Amino acid sequence: MVTTPTALLVHGAFADAGSWSGVIAELQHHGVPVVAPPNPLRGLASDAAYIAAQAAQIDGPVVLVGHSYGGAVISVAGTAENVVGLVYVAAYIPEQGESLGELQGRFPLSRLVGSLQERTYPVEGGEDAVEVTIQAEAFPAIFAADVPPAVTKVLAVAQRPLAASTFTEAASAAAWKDKPSWALVAGADEAINPEVERFGAKRAGATVVEIDGASHAVAVSRPKDVAGLIRDAVRATG
């Protein structure tokens, strides 16, 4: 009996699971089982452990889909036994032992780096940790240049912050070494240099689709294209 894998969608920094809404609708229309849990955004190891636990509790095979920082999360979480494929959407694809800072440091920095706003939040032990968001006035151009302005104004103030420590935390695994992968490169990405996306995809041996003119928020602006790549992965692994 052929079992259709469930697509488990992992959002990245500065977004939430609602950013997958258009993609979810497309996948559901084509009969693909889909879930989109929250990504805690508190640390690569802990985020990956959470997503791996979510995947492990799904009956049958799972295709993990990661956007942006979510790509790093699925690279680690993808070692879960029932994960059969990985899809990277405008995402980081780190090697085992490599941090996001090291990966993007191979290439010219994107506009994102100079537009981050830092805040603190409490952690155990009475300490404060640092989290980052994109400055609201810079958000549309950096994150979602091909999304209608009325939508970006909402997205800019609804950002989920990312713990700053994730940029220096090394990935403990690279599931793409053992499992097939697909990657979508956003050609006009201003949050992650597209060269970072291309490099990671090539290194992983991924099946690559590139969309010229697509911003970092490609799942919002081009949901049919993103869903199409996920359906390719689901068909190939089902």
Side-chain angles (χ1 to χ4, degrees):
M1 183 177 68
V2 176
T3 301
T4 301
T6 296
L8 192 159
L9 314 182
V10 182
H11 67 82
F14 322 127
D16 61 21
S19 61
W20 293 112
S21 295
V23 175
I24 291 170
E26 284 291 321
L27 293 175
Q28 290 177 333
H29 176 71
H30 287 92
V32 177
V34 57
V35 294
N39 181 1
L41 305 180
R42 296 293 83 172
L44 181 52
S46 60
D47 294 343
Y50 179 82
I51 295 300
Q54 296 293 311
Q57 294 175 76
I58 294 173
D59 290 333
V62 171
V63 170
L64 288 182
V65 183
H67 173 247
S68 188
Y69 161 69
V73 174
I74 70 169
S75 291
V76 178
T79 57
E81 186 175 347
N82 64 327
V83 172
V84 294
L86 307 163
V87 181
Y88 296 93
V89 179
Y92 292 109
I93 311 178
E95 169 67 279
Q96 183 176 3
E98 183 178 56
S99 70
L100 300 188
E102 291 170 335
L103 174 54
Q104 66 183 12
R106 297 168 179 260
F107 303 91
L109 296 177
S110 70
R111 293 173 60 190
L112 173 72
V113 177
S115 301
L116 293 176
Q117 182 174 13
E118 294 186 354
R119 290 190 172 90
T120 60
Y121 66 97
V123 293
E124 290 185 19
E127 302 288 334
D128 281 340
V130 176
E131 62 183 14
V132 293
T133 54
I134 303 172
Q135 295 168 1
E137 62 274 15
F139 183 92
I142 290 174
F143 198 90
D146 58 350
V147 175
V151 177
T152 60
K153 287 177 67 176
V154 175
L155 297 178
V157 299
Q159 294 180 58
R160 289 277 310 281
L162 176 70
S165 61
T166 57
F167 290 107
T168 56
E169 187 177 350
S172 62
W176 47 262
K177 290 186 173 180
D178 302 309
K179 299 180 181 182
S181 60
W182 290 257
L184 187 151
V185 174
D189 201 330
E190 294 285 356
I192 300 176
N193 184 338
E195 288 299 326
V196 175
E197 299 170 19
R198 294 183 189 108
F199 171 80
K202 181 178 180 180
R203 181 171 62 179
T207 299
V208 181
V209 170
E210 180 156 351
I211 302 180
D212 294 335
S215 75
H216 193 60
V218 63
V220 178
S221 63
R222 312 286 184 95
K224 289 187 177 182
D225 292 323
V226 174
L229 185 62
I230 296 169
R231 288 168 55 210
D232 288 346
V234 167
R235 281 194 295 264
T237 56

